[in-house]
Amino acid sequence: MHIRDLPHPNPGVPDVRTGGRFLLWLYKKQLGGQAKALLWGLVHTGAVASFPVPVGIAVQAVVDRSGSRLALAGGLMVLLGVLVSVGDTMLHRSAVTNWITSVARIQQLLARKTTELGSAMTRRVAAGEIVAVSTGDLEKIGWFVEAISRFGAAALTSVGVCVALLVYQPALGVVVAVGVPVLALAVLPLLPPATRRADAQREKAGRATELASDTVAGLRVLRGIGGEELFLGRYRSASQEVRKAAVRSARMWSLISAVQVALPGLLLIAVVWYGVRLAQDGRIAIGELVTIYSAVAFLLYPLRHFEEIAMAYSFSRPSAKRAARLLALSRPAGGRLTDHGALDGDLHDPVTGLTAEAGRLTAVVCGDPDAAGRLAARLGGQPAESDDHEGSEGSSGTEGAGTAAAPPSVLLGGTPLDDVPRDAARTAVLVQDKDPVLLSGTLGELLDVPASGRVDTAGALSAAQCGDVLTALAQASADDSGDPMRTRITERGRSLSGGQRQRLALARSLVTDPEVLVLDEPTSAVDSHTEARIADGLREIRTGRTTVVLTSSPLLLDRAEQVVFLHDGKVVAQAPHRELLRTHPAYRAVVTRETEAGAPADPAPATATTTATATATAPTGDARHDKIEETA
């Protein structure tokens, strides 16, 4: 496979029983690339290993004063030099291709697993562990995959050189054939302690990463309680532990490197000493001694690849084990259903007790924007991270994150969303959060999303009150065509105001036309007049579809068919908006921004309506800036 063909059409189903089996599976998935790299490696190392032959011929030609053989030796050297250059270049190209394609395959597998599990993954594995696997561990696995071909070529060439020396000069060939395997295996006793030290270093680095993630996530809380210095001290201690572990690991690997240099040097001394004695006795010629010396000196080169593959495997095996452990994660309850039937009906959240009846517009009042965001995520089958780590923000570790009990799944038509394929769940339920993201591209590309076909683009834009947005985009059209659909929107919609971004995101959601649409504060950044028209358009275009709007806006609440009021994360009341205003003081306090003590005990319907309308005309404090920007 070529790099230009990435990403892989299908990364495959990995063998995640053990780290070793995962590495073997990864190797089998790129046999073609490994064979290509091995072939070029043989060309390279074979040419390097053949250099002693023309060197010996040249030396003997000088001794014998033979010009023809000297010219022959020079020609062979030029040919071998070309082969070394071409082989080395292509070997590097093929090996790096293997590295990149293998890492890309694992990245796709991890992305697929993250998509499948969603936020459930962070409940079972610490976020720092996921980051470490996705960065450092992938690099180590890729290193091993890349080094295999070089090691294979070096091993085959070394065997070939030893056999050739046995045939060419048996007396010295025996010494070399016995000494090389001893040199290659001499470092094996040192590998287990080196691996243990490398694992210890990696674990300490992972804990430091987790501590840093926790500290950043809880930075606001830490500043509030003055705990910044405490956690900074903890991170300093953790980083010093990582440094000490890295030094201990480096010492062991430097010892292995020293052994790989010292023992081959002793072998070379022994061969030269024995060869000189044979030459003095007249049993071998000077050229033959130079050839044998050069061949033994060459063997020092592939021995470095033996050291490299030992290091690569020692580092990659635990990395592969961790990656396999992540890829082996699955959802509870025996996995997702394949025959889930039609995903329609009432949407029910067992955690809060909320039930959004099918085909109706339901408004939900939480009072707490963070709680509303968590509820919206849960209704879409993706529990918010703060649910998973509630109460642990700013803690010094993440050990408890992986053991938190998972909340019950949201039910759609009686079917748990956790038990159906993720694609089916996301097609049935669409969540638009309070800060929707607009990807860069033209407006036409932004609205070109998978859709049911029931709602066209013009209808969605009209319902979301995007008329003035279209006018502004038409005036900013780069090609002077005046077509707003061809106007380019910058990254994250930064060229638009907050209200414009919100309305375009709402139009995108309406075009998609899911069975269930969950909107978290969809009009917090628009003025009250536009908000009233959006409320009317939303109710009309979503007729017969289940719509859940999390808001405290009286204009939206007044147009909802049912309003559900949550307090402390539980449903405490549900009724039409005006009825709740009359009968529920806590609801009235949230919606009208009054205190419960100062609210009238039993306001008349006309008073309630007047209060709601008056409140709607004044933007909320956290949205006032965008409203001023929108109406300016």
Side-chain angles (χ1 to χ4, degrees):
M1 185 174 188
H2 301 287
I3 295 178
R4 63 174 174 267
D5 298 325
L6 295 175
H8 299 277
N10 180 15
V13 180
D15 186 345
V16 294
R17 288 175 288 178
T18 64
R21 289 181 180 272
F22 178 66
L23 288 175
L24 180 60
W25 174 84
L26 198 63
Y27 179 83
K28 290 179 178 178
K29 293 298 290 185
Q30 50 178 205
L31 282 176
Q34 291 291 346
K36 183 177 180 181
L38 178 61
L39 176 62
W40 286 114
L42 289 174
V43 171
H44 171 64
T45 56
V48 174
S50 300
F51 255 104
V53 175
V55 170
I57 293 175
V59 171
Q60 194 61 43
V62 171
V63 173
D64 298 339
R65 299 180 180 275
S66 173
S68 58
R69 280 187 292 170
L70 188 60
L72 173 63
L76 288 175
M77 288 183 181
V78 172
L79 176 61
L80 292 175
V82 172
L83 291 177
V84 168
S85 178
V86 173
D88 191 26
T89 301
M90 297 307 296
L91 169 62
H92 178 74
R93 180 187 180 94
S94 302
V96 171
T97 299
N98 290 335
W99 180 329
I100 294 175
T101 54
S102 64
V103 168
R105 186 183 303 277
I106 304 175
Q107 287 175 330
Q108 285 183 247
L109 290 171
L110 290 172
R112 186 173 68 183
K113 183 60 65 174
T114 303
T115 302
E116 175 189 345
L117 296 179
S119 296
M121 175 175 273
T122 56
R123 296 202 304 271
R124 304 174 67 181
V125 181
E129 179 76 5
I130 299 174
V131 172
V133 170
S134 303
T135 53
D137 284 337
L138 288 191
E139 182 180 354
K140 293 179 177 64
I141 294 173
W143 177 27
F144 175 71
V145 171
E146 181 216 14
I148 289 178
S149 54
R150 291 200 299 270
F151 166 72
L156 290 176
T157 306
S158 298
V159 172
V161 169
C162 291
V163 171
L165 287 177
L166 282 172
V167 175
Y168 180 67
Q169 184 51 252
L172 285 176
V174 171
V175 176
V176 176
V178 172
V180 169
V182 172
L183 297 181
L185 300 176
V187 297
L188 289 183
L190 300 177
L191 290 181
T195 303
R196 287 194 296 270
R197 293 189 181 188
D199 286 347
Q201 175 193 350
R202 197 270 175 199
E203 290 175 4
K204 291 180 184 297
R207 285 197 292 270
T209 302
E210 293 170 14
L211 180 58
S213 300
D214 281 353
T215 304
V216 172
L219 191 57
R220 194 184 321 177
V221 176
L222 291 176
R223 286 175 175 171
I225 64 177
E228 296 167 275
E229 288 300 324
L230 173 62
F231 273 77
L232 181 59
R234 291 183 180 180
Y235 183 75
R236 282 198 187 102
S237 299
S239 62
Q240 287 301 312
E241 290 294 326
V242 174
R243 181 190 63 80
K244 293 176 182 177
V247 171
R248 292 185 72 249
S249 179
R251 285 174 179 169
M252 182 57 70
W253 287 111
S254 64
L255 176 61
I256 292 175
S257 299
V259 170
Q260 290 284 3
V261 172
L263 293 183
L266 295 176
L267 175 63
L268 189 60
I269 292 173
V271 169
V272 171
W273 176 79
Y274 188 48
V276 169
R277 292 192 60 183
L278 293 177
Q280 289 177 342
D281 296 339
R283 296 171 59 183
I284 61 174
I286 298 299
E288 293 176 327
L289 177 60
V290 172
T291 300
I292 295 173
Y293 169 81
S294 301
V296 175
F298 156 77
L299 290 175
L300 303 182
Y301 169 71
L303 283 175
R304 289 200 296 270
H305 291 299
F306 281 77
E307 177 191 355
E308 180 190 21
I309 197 65
M311 292 181 64
Y313 179 72
S314 298
F315 280 106
S316 66
R317 185 176 56 81
S319 296
K321 181 179 179 181
R322 286 184 287 268
R325 186 167 61 245
L326 277 183
L327 295 175
L329 294 176
S330 60
R331 299 192 71 91
R336 293 184 175 274
L337 302 174
T338 56
D339 183 15
H340 51 78
L343 286 176
D344 53 20
D346 295 347
L347 182 68
H348 176 67
D349 176 27
V351 176
T352 60
L354 167 68
T355 298
E357 296 182 17
R360 303 187 69 186
L361 174 59
T362 302
V364 181
V365 177
C366 292
D368 179 4
D370 293 334
R374 293 194 293 270
L375 175 59
R378 192 162 58 248
L379 292 176
Q382 293 290 333
E385 185 175 350
S386 52
D387 283 343
D388 305 330
H389 304 280
E390 187 174 357
S392 64
E393 187 180 49
S395 61
S396 60
T398 57
E399 290 80 356
T403 60
S409 173
V410 169
L411 306 177
L412 179 56
T415 302
L417 288 182
D418 279 351
D419 291 345
V420 298
R422 178 60 58 191
D423 291 342
R426 289 182 175 173
T427 300
V429 183
L430 175 65
V431 177
Q432 177 181 308
D433 61 28
K434 67 183 66 178
D435 186 21
V437 175
L438 301 183
L439 302 178
S440 60
T442 64
L443 179 58
E445 294 171 341
L446 174 70
L447 299 177
D448 184 16
V449 293
S452 66
R454 193 177 74 97
V455 179
D456 59 15
T457 301
L461 290 170
S462 176
Q465 298 300 309
C466 295
D468 62 318
V469 183
L470 297 178
T471 301
L473 291 176
Q475 295 173 351
S477 178
D479 55 6
D480 297 326
S481 64
D483 184 2
M485 305 303 290
R486 300 176 63 180
T487 302
R488 190 165 189 83
I489 298 173
T490 58
E491 181 184 2
R492 302 182 68 88
R494 291 192 176 95
S495 57
L496 305 172
S497 69
Q500 290 173 330
R501 286 195 300 269
Q502 224 171 34
R503 284 180 282 162
L504 287 179
L506 177 60
R508 179 178 59 186
S509 300
L510 295 177
V511 168
T512 304
D513 188 40
E515 184 65 34
V516 178
L517 176 60
V518 180
L519 303 172
D520 184 9
E521 293 289 357
T523 59
S524 61
V526 300
D527 62 83
S528 57
H529 300 290
T530 304
E531 185 177 33
R533 294 194 295 269
I534 290 176
D536 292 331
L538 178 63
R539 179 165 180 171
E540 179 181 353
I541 202 170
R542 291 290 297 175
T543 300
R545 296 288 204 184
T546 306
T547 307
V548 180
V549 182
L550 291 95
T551 182
S552 58
S553 166
L555 287 171
L556 287 174
L557 296 172
D558 193 43
R559 287 159 175 78
E561 298 173 75
Q562 185 81 342
V563 177
V564 179
F565 178 49
L566 273 65
H567 183 66
D568 290 336
K570 299 293 181 182
V571 173
V572 295
Q574 59 183 52
H577 167 61
R578 300 189 184 190
E579 180 179 339
L580 287 176
L581 279 176
R582 293 194 306 269
T583 61
H584 208 289
Y587 174 81
R588 183 169 59 248
V590 172
V591 173
T592 64
R593 276 52 167 190
E594 296 177 358
T595 61
E596 289 190 45
D602 187 17
T607 304
T609 305
T610 304
T611 303
T613 306
T615 306
T617 59
T620 61
D622 56 353
R624 186 169 297 148
H625 175 74
D626 283 334
K627 292 181 185 290
I628 293 173
E629 178 186 29
E630 182 68 18
T631 56

